[in-house]
Amino acid sequence: MTEKTIYLRPDDKDIKLVCYVSKATPDVPFNGKRKAILICPGGAYSYCSERESEAVAMPFIARGFNAFVLYYSVKEKSKFPAPLIDASLAVKCMKDNAEEFHIDPDYIFVIGFSAGGHLAGALGTMWHEKCVYDAIDMPYGYNKVRGAILCYAVITAGKYAHRGSIDNILGMQGSENADAALLDSVSIEKHVDENTVPMFVWHTSTDKCVPVQNSLMLCQALADNGIPFELEVYPEGEHGLSIATEIVGTKNAYISRWVDDACRFINKL
């Protein structure tokens, strides 16, 4: 396996894609290339969590994927749609370099955790927004992924919002007082339509940081629009479990099965 870092914006060394590439072929698509997973760590749009980056890449590599960790716009740079543009640049980079990365460009999936789940959800629902194509010269749909995995994701800017994440992407404190149109603009459940990609969603019902209602609201919207999805709600567990193994210090064998469940779901797409 080789590791390579690519800077996605020439003027910002913080926005980067760390690529973990293997040419071994245990279980790959029919054309002999690996599927790819784009990982968006959490961190409330304040930072990108190391517990949800390389630690997530390794089990997916073991299951036949090549993995790419996106370090996207955070803190004062995170005002939406900057992170969505970062994620679109990452997908473009992966497709542009598919031969070098030994991946099938038609089998790119995005996975996100907490605020990174919001970003993964945005890429899965808002990939076609004009602001993306105003910022990136690419063919329509070039940044569209085949499916998304959302892990205890920030979804809504409404009643059940993780307010810190929403404050950051709106560039304002006290975002609960923003007008409804502005809140809707960053609420993933409000953007689900026929363009939305299939999604695997998981959460714990006892999450005190990002309430499980975030995932429930998203899946209701997916169901209403006929988008394929799978929802796993585990009866207990704190926020930020990542892969829920000893590697990240939160071992929970019951919840760690989500990796295999997600792979099963996306391998059918």
Side-chain angles (χ1 to χ4, degrees), residues 40-45 72 112-120 152-154 162 165 210 239:
C40 302
Y45 284 112
Y72 52 88
F113 299 81
S114 195
H118 181 274
L119 178 52
Y152 44 89
V154 175
H162 180 257
S165 297
V210 177
H239 186 73

Side-chain angles (χ1 to χ4, degrees), residues 80-102:
F80 210 75
L84 175 58
I85 293 168
D86 297 339
S88 296
L89 283 168
V91 176
K92 180 179 184 299
C93 177
M94 293 163 70
K95 289 187 175 181
D96 285 349
N97 297 281
E99 281 297 319
E100 176 188 348
F101 293 154
H102 198 66

